[in-house]
Amino acid sequence: MISSSSCSACASQPAVRAMHGRRSCVLLYGWLGSTPRQLRAYEQLLAQPGRAVVPCTLPASSFFRGRRAFEDCARSLARSALAATAGVDDVGLFGLSGNGSTAVGLMLRELRAGGRDSAELLGRIRGVVYDSGPVRVAPPVLATGFVSMAAAK
């Protein structure tokens, strides 16, 4: 995964280059503390011929550095999504747990405020999935995940 000064982003450069020519792409946003090894299981589940799956993470530290760091992460996620989906016809977003849905919501909010390339990517998004996992989650936390993803799209 690419790391910028404040936020992890989507994929690695070789993976992004390898995706050109694919028909569809799923951006997979992991839960708080998820590792590439853990996200590989989801990649394998979602992978199909002609579809690339790109894991993305939002580091826990971004939650504790204040609003500016959070906004920097949103910009980083949006730039990474634009790079990862260049040349792809259909894009899906898959948020795992509260952190994944927050990352998706931040990225979509940033794309809505962006320029022509951002609007074009928003038009290629065909679906958004929120997977809370088999854990005990308080209803308000679960609702926050759904609302953050739905409101952003």
Side-chain angles (χ1 to χ4, degrees), residues 36-56:
R37 187 181 126 266
Q38 292 167 320
L39 293 179
R40 263 192 292 278
Y42 287 91
E43 286 180 68
Q44 292 169 354
L45 284 170
L46 296 169
Q48 291 181 2
R51 177 191 299 157
V53 180
V54 182
C56 309

Side-chain angles (χ1 to χ4, degrees), residues 62-80:
S62 64
F63 285 98
F64 307 111
R65 287 193 202 149
R67 182 179 178 156
R68 185 173 178 92
F70 223 57
E71 290 171 353
D72 288 344
C73 280
R75 281 188 288 281
S76 177
L77 288 167
R79 281 191 308 270
S80 296

